[in-house]
Amino acid sequence: MPAASTRLHASACPHDCPSTCALEVEVVDGTRIGRLRGAADNSYTAGVICAKVARYAERIHHPDRLTRPLRRTGPKGSGRFEPISWDDALDIVAERFLEAERRFGAETVWPYHYAGTMGLVQRDGLNRLRHAKRYSGFFSTICTNPAWSGLIAGTGRLAGADPREMARSDLVVIWGTNAVATQVNVMTHAIRARKERGAKIAVVDVYRTPTMEQADLPLLIRPGTDGALACAVMHVLFRDGLADRAYLASYADDPAGLEAHLAGRTPAWAEAITGLPAADIEDFARLVGRTPRSFFRLGYGFTRSRNGAVNMHAASCIPVVSGAWQHEGGGAFHSNSGIYRWNKTLIEGLDRRDPTVRMLDQSRIGPILEGDVDALAGGPPVTALLIQNTNPVTVAPDQTRVRRGFGRDDLFVCVHEQFMTETARMADIVLPATMFLEHDDLYQAGGNQHILFGPALVPAPGECRPNHAVVGALATRLGVDDHPGFRMSERELIDATLRNSGWGSLEELERARFLDVQPDFRTAHYLDGFAWPDGRFRLKPDWPSVPYAAPSTFGPVAAMPRFPDHWAVIEEADAEHPFRLVTAPARHFLNTSFTETPGSQAREKQPSLLLHPEDATALAIAEGDRVEVANGRGEVILRARLFDGMRRGVVIAESIWPNDAHEGGRGINSLTGADAVAPFGGAAFHDNHVRVRGLALCDVA
């Protein structure tokens, strides 16, 4: 037998992670992949990727992948399907969509997608079909809205200092993200600063994560209290003469108003709210004030609460008060998603968009499917769904309502997927989807500044087809394929989008492997002014007027504080629900991706609840005991893991295991709420009060 031929090829990680790593992929005999590694010549990836993507062969070559179209033959959720041809499957979908449209109008059909792939063609092409057909719009809220709106409220633009400057910082503040688990490249650059410059690393979080274990200064707070910590830090900066008053006078809108507002926001005040000792707050504030090169790497986790946008804005104000923005290795960074200036008309069919078509909130899919009039924006019921790149029956908040909605007999559901997820099991038609190494796509990084191309490197198994092919085939059957985007190949769409956006050609991108489009230092550090007409950072934002692409404001916008503050709208613990629950990401899963791979399953072991030992003793709960976690939205059974790395009264459930991995079949999002977060929507996944009780071995859910 001849030896296998292995070649290295360039690619890009497609998963919902800010790093968007540049990859080198081993392709064996042109048909299978071996190991994946980070591209060493990419200045942000720097040769490092997460372990789960390095093991991608076990996912792409998994024996349980969907490989043929399927039609449901049993009750919804039964898992009983029969194979059918692609033509029959697509004909059924088109017929059911047209039938629904005849009964209720086009808005009864809701194309529902998200970030199972972050490729611009395969993720966003579904919008072209919805615009062409005037189907209900999809308002993306489940992840970024509180974080992005909170940052833009101050800067006016979704961009910040070059994230590679972390390596040239003297203090790296990692706030509200477990970077070791969710964006490992942050740690690459922070650790480099420590090794080469003696930099300090401070970590703000709600439990002792692997990232916090790397910290010189760990700052452990209660969930939803980041705004209080930020205010106390700025109080000390003003009080001790560490605020850069000259910078504030030139670059901020109302520093005198902020200083007066913060007069009572002392470290002692913040200690009562956050649980962090006042002395630790003082030490942190003085370190920030005395370290010009302080780099604030602001994450998503701390914004996934009802006051998340206010918390993000408050934290982003600190480097303005300290003047850190003036220095290389200083300032703040959350996302560079605002730097790419894409023209996605061909990909998304923006020239066919009708702004009068209603937009439905992704996070409120449960109320929407249950016919909530407010959630439906006064329009017809949703009676048909086309789902790509997401698994809402596990991921969406308020799972009890989501699952009831999917169980409706009058709801037609088509799911295009890679595995038989819980959402796919609720479908009428299931279509097999390609993975990223089996199709062409274009990527932008959120956590850095690169544009990357990911080519098809291996053949797809069975009859799997890319999202782009499915969208085009349905457009033909629905009579709207006259838009040129439906008739172009992925490569043609990518080339045209690059050219139309001013980024050259696909041929040039393939030669370069990736494009570094980081703005220059003055632009990235706002040295010529922040992105407002007067060039001043908004310490006192006008929340309804923040330039965020949303159909309207959501939530209690009128009650939002004008200056940074602790906004007490979180779901606080009470007598009936004495614990605050955070549903944090797992290291070896990515939302519900990788939950099917043996390596990740073995490392995550089982659904569990981190519980402080003193709280466990008070509840007579021991390590490994079955525990019920409940609130007014539902109840979940987990296994107790005793852990002293959080404040008492806080419990942590890491990862989104499938619902059926839990005893009783109810997953962690049975406990999370779907009420909209101010000012522009979002899901408060980490903002839940719960009660916890131990279960006897004989108790049955």
Side-chain angles (χ1 to χ4, degrees):
M1 177 181 293
S5 169
T6 301
R7 297 185 60 189
L8 276 181
H9 294 265
S11 187
C13 182
H15 285 285
D16 189 10
C17 162
S19 291
T20 317
C21 290
L23 302 177
E24 293 178 348
V25 182
E26 291 180 351
V27 177
V28 182
D29 288 340
T31 60
R32 295 180 62 83
I33 70 162
R35 293 283 295 178
L36 276 68
R37 61 185 69 123
D41 57 343
N42 180 282
S43 57
Y44 188 76
T45 302
V48 179
I49 59 171
C50 67
K52 54 187 173 283
V53 172
R55 300 190 303 269
Y56 214 83
E58 69 176 3
R59 186 166 195 271
I60 195 171
H61 300 307
H62 198 294
D64 293 339
R65 278 192 65 180
L66 294 169
T67 58
R68 297 185 66 184
L70 303 171
R71 173 170 53 197
R72 179 170 61 86
T73 59
K76 286 195 174 189
S78 66
R80 287 161 52 189
F81 293 88
E82 65 179 6
I84 58 174
S85 71
W86 266 103
D87 281 341
D88 286 347
L90 293 169
D91 287 346
I92 291 169
V93 175
E95 288 165 7
R96 293 297 297 270
F97 282 11
L98 291 169
E99 177 187 348
E101 184 178 348
R102 283 191 293 270
R103 292 188 63 199
F104 297 104
E107 289 183 345
T108 195
V109 181
W110 192 20
Y112 190 99
H113 69 135
Y114 200 54
T117 176
M118 295 293 281
L120 303 189
V121 173
Q122 308 294 352
R123 181 191 65 193
D124 299 331
L126 189 56
N127 286 325
R128 192 181 335 114
L129 180 63
R130 89 171 164 85
H131 290 145
K133 285 293 298 176
R134 301 180 74 253
Y135 291 153
S136 281
F138 179 84
F139 180 41
S140 171
T141 59
I142 208 164
C143 178
T144 64
N145 296 33
W148 287 9
S149 62
L151 187 83
I152 295 169
T155 62
R157 183 170 184 248
L158 188 59
D162 187 333
R164 294 167 295 194
E165 287 183 34
M166 282 184 284
R168 300 189 287 278
S169 178
D170 296 321
L171 170 63
V172 179
V173 180
I174 301 173
W175 196 311
T177 182
N178 181 11
V180 166
T182 61
Q183 41 185 321
V184 65
N185 310 91
V186 168
M187 301 309 298
T188 299
H189 299 282
I191 296 298
R192 181 181 167 192
R194 173 187 279 165
K195 289 180 178 178
E196 295 182 1
R197 301 180 58 84
K200 301 294 185 185
I201 298 174
V203 175
V204 181
D205 216 324
V206 298
Y207 72 119
R208 192 174 66 238
T209 64
T211 305
M212 186 173 279
E213 289 174 353
Q214 298 272 358
D216 301 289
L217 187 60
L219 300 159
L220 186 66
I221 64 174
R222 296 189 182 109
T225 65
D226 305 78
L229 173 59
C231 285
V233 168
M234 290 186 287
H235 169 96
V236 173
L237 294 177
F238 279 115
R239 183 199 70 195
D240 292 358
L242 299 172
D244 190 330
R245 295 182 183 278
Y247 179 81
L248 284 164
S250 297
Y251 286 94
D253 64 336
D254 190 0
L258 176 64
E259 183 174 7
H261 167 75
L262 295 174
R265 271 63 174 179
T266 65
W269 166 84
E271 177 179 357
I273 297 169
T274 65
L276 183 66
D280 292 350
I281 299 173
E282 296 269 5
D283 289 344
F284 177 44
R286 292 192 186 105
L287 181 60
V288 170
R290 294 168 181 166
T291 310
R293 291 175 180 248
S294 293
F295 193 105
F296 283 73
R297 182 57 176 88
L298 304 172
Y300 285 97
F302 77 109
T303 71
R304 291 185 177 134
S305 63
R306 289 166 179 81
N307 59 4
V310 170
N311 290 342
M312 171 62 82
H313 174 254
S316 72
C317 289
I318 298 174
V320 178
V321 173
S322 72
W325 277 106
Q326 301 164 93
H327 309 285
E328 184 182 39
F333 181 84
H334 168 67
S335 173
N336 252 342
S337 297
I339 70 173
Y340 293 100
R341 65 172 194 270
W342 292 117
N343 180 342
K344 294 202 287 183
T345 299
L346 285 169
I347 291 176
E348 296 196 38
L350 298 176
D351 49 342
R352 301 289 177 87
R353 179 178 177 270
D354 181 348
T356 68
V357 172
R358 70 175 175 183
M359 299 288 286
L360 297 179
D361 184 343
Q362 169 193 20
S363 299
R364 303 199 70 201
I365 186 173
I368 285 167
L369 294 185
E370 286 203 311
D372 182 284
V373 173
D374 178 64
L376 286 167
V382 169
T383 61
L385 287 167
L386 173 58
I387 299 175
Q388 291 183 326
N389 309 329
T390 189
N391 182 16
V393 175
T394 305
V395 169
D398 206 350
Q399 277 287 297
T400 301
R401 300 190 72 178
V402 174
R403 295 167 79 184
R404 279 201 306 257
F406 269 90
R408 281 172 36 203
D409 288 332
D410 68 331
L411 177 68
F412 175 79
V413 179
C414 173
V415 174
H416 187 202
E417 252 297 356
Q418 298 162 347
F419 292 95
M420 185 58 76
T421 64
E422 289 175 301
T423 304
R425 282 205 295 273
M426 297 299 291
D428 300 281
I429 296 292
V430 178
L431 305 174
T434 50
M435 291 189 183
F436 79 105
L437 296 170
E438 300 160 350
H439 57 236
D440 297 317
D441 215 338
L442 175 66
Y443 302 90
Q444 69 169 53
N448 58 86
Q449 60 290 305
H450 286 101
I451 294 171
L452 310 96
F453 175 59
L457 297 179
V458 292
E463 300 175 32
C464 294
R465 293 186 184 179
N467 293 354
H468 176 64
V470 170
V471 168
L474 285 174
T476 297
R477 286 166 170 80
L478 293 165
V480 291
D481 64 346
D482 57 325
H483 189 281
F486 291 120
R487 300 191 298 271
M488 299 169 76
S489 69
E490 286 100 330
R491 291 183 64 89
E492 289 170 334
L493 271 175
I494 292 167
D495 184 67
T497 299
L498 286 166
R499 292 176 185 274
N500 293 342
S501 305
W503 296 124
S505 68
L506 175 55
E507 180 182 358
E508 291 167 337
L509 177 58
E510 285 186 286
R511 265 199 314 269
R513 296 182 58 200
F514 34 77
L515 297 180
D516 180 349
V517 298
Q518 175 65 37
D520 65 88
F521 180 84
R522 290 194 64 85
T523 301
H525 283 254
Y526 299 102
L527 296 185
D528 295 317
F530 288 90
W532 297 100
D534 62 2
R536 293 177 178 273
F537 184 95
R538 294 293 187 259
L539 300 169
K540 188 170 81 171
D542 178 14
W543 287 105
S545 301
V546 170
Y548 191 81
S552 66
T553 57
F554 292 79
V557 181
M560 296 181 77
R562 294 302 304 276
F563 282 108
D565 214 336
H566 171 62
W567 190 27
V569 293
I570 57 177
E571 198 170 84
E572 282 284 13
D574 56 29
E576 185 180 356
H577 308 92
F579 292 92
R580 292 265 292 147
L581 167 69
V582 169
T583 59
R587 185 168 188 169
H588 300 285
F589 295 159
L590 202 167
N591 300 322
T592 61
S593 296
F594 299 94
T595 58
E596 68 287 322
T597 56
S600 291
Q601 289 174 343
R603 288 165 175 82
E604 293 300 329
K605 297 179 181 177
Q606 64 181 346
S608 58
L609 184 76
L610 300 181
L611 187 66
H612 196 285
E614 294 178 27
D615 288 331
T617 298
L619 295 169
I621 292 172
E623 177 77 21
D625 280 358
R626 298 164 62 244
V627 294
E628 181 188 76
V629 187
N631 58 23
R633 292 180 282 270
E635 57 280 327
V636 177
I637 297 175
L638 303 162
R639 291 284 178 167
R641 286 172 51 201
L642 305 192
F643 180 65
D644 65 0
M646 56 214 176
R647 301 292 172 193
R648 286 200 63 183
V650 177
V651 291
I652 308 288
E654 293 184 318
S655 77
I656 307 176
W657 286 87
N659 290 304
D660 59 11
H662 295 76
E663 183 180 341
R666 294 181 295 273
I668 199 63
N669 280 319
S670 300
L671 304 173
T672 58
D675 49 306
V677 172
F680 300 115
F685 284 113
H686 302 340
D687 186 1
N688 313 282
H689 64 198
V690 295
R691 59 184 178 271
V692 179
R693 69 182 182 99
L695 298 174
L697 289 176
C698 59
D699 287 345
V700 177

